[in-house]
Amino acid sequence: MATLLEVKNLRTYFYTYEGVVKAVDGISYDVQEGETLAIVGESGCGKSVGALSLMRLIPDPPGKIIDGEILFDGENVLDKNMDDMRQIRGAKMAMVFQEPMTSLNPVLTVQRQLSETLQLHKGMNRAEAAEEAVSLLERVGIPDPKQRVKQYPHQFSGGMRQRVMIAMALSCNPKLIIADEPTTALDVTIQAQILELMKSLTTEFGVALIIITHNLGVVARYADRVNIMYGGKIIERGTAKEIYSDPKHPYTRGLLKSVPRLDLPRTEKLDPIQGQPPDLVDPPSGCVFRDRCPDPTDDCRDGNIEMALIEVSPGHWVDQCCVHCG
């Protein structure tokens, strides 16, 4: 497979009265054509900011992408002006946001919102776009699409609104879809339906998918590769199989231990990660996980080892501090 997206040393900071928040602090990874990549981590680790950076949707001020490259389809997104970015968003790179009710315009019908994208990026006239909007709703499993397409977002359930967002993301046949915690506001059964729908549609159309989540069950079922984020950095990455079968970083092991498992006795207690995430205004030197690490070395505590990923097996990368501690 060819490389579709390559992120190199991306840094996105927010300049606030309290100080500079290093939300994304030097992350690097790639996405291959047609693959599903999961980005995993607890709230505040930089997952969503990293995704918004790909789309150049960081509010400025206070946010700013201060360093790095985002090579999409061979071109650096950060070199594009806003007019060029409008041609990329939706047409080549699309996003499904966490809460569809706040992403859809409440005063426009679903047909109008789908048609606008089709007219802008695919040059359809109003009648053609309206017909295609019905087809898109049918494709994502919304019943009676000819009637529903004329309704407003508040007339849809949460799961149906998310289906509309998926239809909108797929409308212009993009090469990459970014799904930012797309099932957070949905109940468990609807979550499964939405994820199955996204996976089947991306497979059908050969679209690469980035799923941002803290749900490790989602990762195990749908992801080809996984990036584990903590404190604005990627601290481990590899295939889903490697991450689950042989996690190297203590944070990754902690995430896996904190999830209930059906193959363990019901009396078995969960083992949560102790402590709190680091303050990204004043992160610790060296390893950002050192204050929560169950067994840090003296060098780790003193911040003598700078964070950098090293390859411990083919395609499996982990922070060198963790390897040193091991």
Side-chain angles (χ1 to χ4, degrees), residues 143-287:
D144 195 14
K146 289 185 179 180
Q147 295 301 318
R148 301 303 306 267
V149 77
K150 300 174 184 177
Q151 295 179 334
Y152 293 86
H154 73 271
Q155 295 174 283
F156 289 73
S157 67
M160 289 298 178
R161 284 195 293 265
Q162 199 60 287
R163 288 173 187 266
V164 172
M165 290 297 298
I166 294 170
M168 194 175 295
L170 287 167
S171 61
C172 296
N173 301 318
K175 294 184 177 182
L176 173 67
I177 292 178
I178 304 165
D180 185 6
E181 301 194 35
T183 60
T184 297
L186 308 177
D187 63 66
V188 176
T189 55
I190 301 301
Q191 284 182 18
Q193 293 175 19
I194 293 298
L195 290 165
E196 288 291 345
L197 174 65
M198 292 189 67
K199 185 63 175 179
S200 64
L201 289 173
T202 53
T203 301
E204 178 183 350
F205 294 102
V207 179
L209 176 64
I210 296 177
I211 298 180
I212 299 168
T213 184
H214 52 257
N215 187 329
L216 292 170
V218 170
V219 174
R221 184 172 178 85
Y222 299 103
D224 300 311
R225 290 192 295 156
V226 184
N227 291 343
I228 306 294
M229 282 195 72
Y230 183 81
K233 301 177 183 289
I234 294 176
I235 48 93
E236 186 167 4
R237 57 186 173 95
T239 65
K241 183 177 180 180
E242 288 172 324
I243 294 296
Y244 275 82
S245 63
D246 189 23
K248 296 295 186 183
H249 199 283
Y251 178 65
T252 309
R253 293 196 291 267
L255 287 177
L256 293 171
K257 288 179 181 178
S258 64
V259 176
R261 293 177 52 171
L262 295 176
D263 59 341
L264 295 178
R266 294 181 65 183
T267 55
E268 189 82 12
K269 292 185 177 181
L270 297 179
D271 186 11
I273 301 171
Q274 302 299 323
Q276 297 295 325
D279 180 2
L280 296 184
V281 174
D282 185 24
S285 59
C287 177

Side-chain angles (χ1 to χ4, degrees), residues 30-212:
D30 62 88
V31 179
Q32 305 300 308
E33 291 181 350
E35 83 163 334
T36 298
L37 173 74
I39 301 179
V40 181
E42 60 195 327
S43 297
C45 71
K47 307 186 300 297
S48 295
V49 172
L52 291 170
S53 298
L54 301 182
M55 300 281 287
R56 296 276 302 277
L57 291 175
I58 298 297
D60 182 9
K64 194 172 184 65
I65 300 173
I66 67 163
D67 194 16
E69 291 182 298
I70 301 171
L71 302 176
F72 178 69
D73 219 10
E75 298 183 274
N76 189 358
V77 169
L78 299 182
D79 290 339
K80 303 290 184 182
N81 60 38
M82 285 299 104
D83 287 336
D84 291 336
M85 283 306 304
R86 277 189 283 272
Q87 298 303 315
I88 292 174
R89 297 186 196 118
K92 297 180 180 180
M93 189 190 304
M95 194 163 186
V96 178
F97 292 94
Q98 183 171 346
E99 177 45 70
M101 193 60 198
T102 58
S103 304
L104 294 167
N105 192 321
V107 300
L108 297 179
T109 64
V110 166
Q111 177 177 294
R112 182 69 189 94
Q113 296 184 62
L114 285 169
S115 297
E116 185 178 40
T117 304
L118 294 166
Q119 290 175 264
L120 175 64
H121 291 297
K122 301 189 78 172
M124 293 183 179
N125 60 38
R126 183 173 296 182
E128 291 171 336
E131 185 177 343
E132 180 64 15
V134 173
S135 177
L136 285 166
L137 291 192
E138 185 175 19
R139 191 179 298 168
V140 297
I142 292 181
D144 195 14
K146 289 185 179 180
Q147 295 301 318
R148 301 303 306 267
V149 77
K150 300 174 184 177
Q151 295 179 334
Y152 293 86
H154 73 271
Q155 295 174 283
F156 289 73
S157 67
M160 289 298 178
R161 284 195 293 265
Q162 199 60 287
R163 288 173 187 266
V164 172
M165 290 297 298
I166 294 170
M168 194 175 295
L170 287 167
S171 61
C172 296
N173 301 318
K175 294 184 177 182
L176 173 67
I177 292 178
I178 304 165
D180 185 6
E181 301 194 35
T183 60
T184 297
L186 308 177
D187 63 66
V188 176
T189 55
I190 301 301
Q191 284 182 18
Q193 293 175 19
I194 293 298
L195 290 165
E196 288 291 345
L197 174 65
M198 292 189 67
K199 185 63 175 179
S200 64
L201 289 173
T202 53
T203 301
E204 178 183 350
F205 294 102
V207 179
L209 176 64
I210 296 177
I211 298 180
I212 299 168

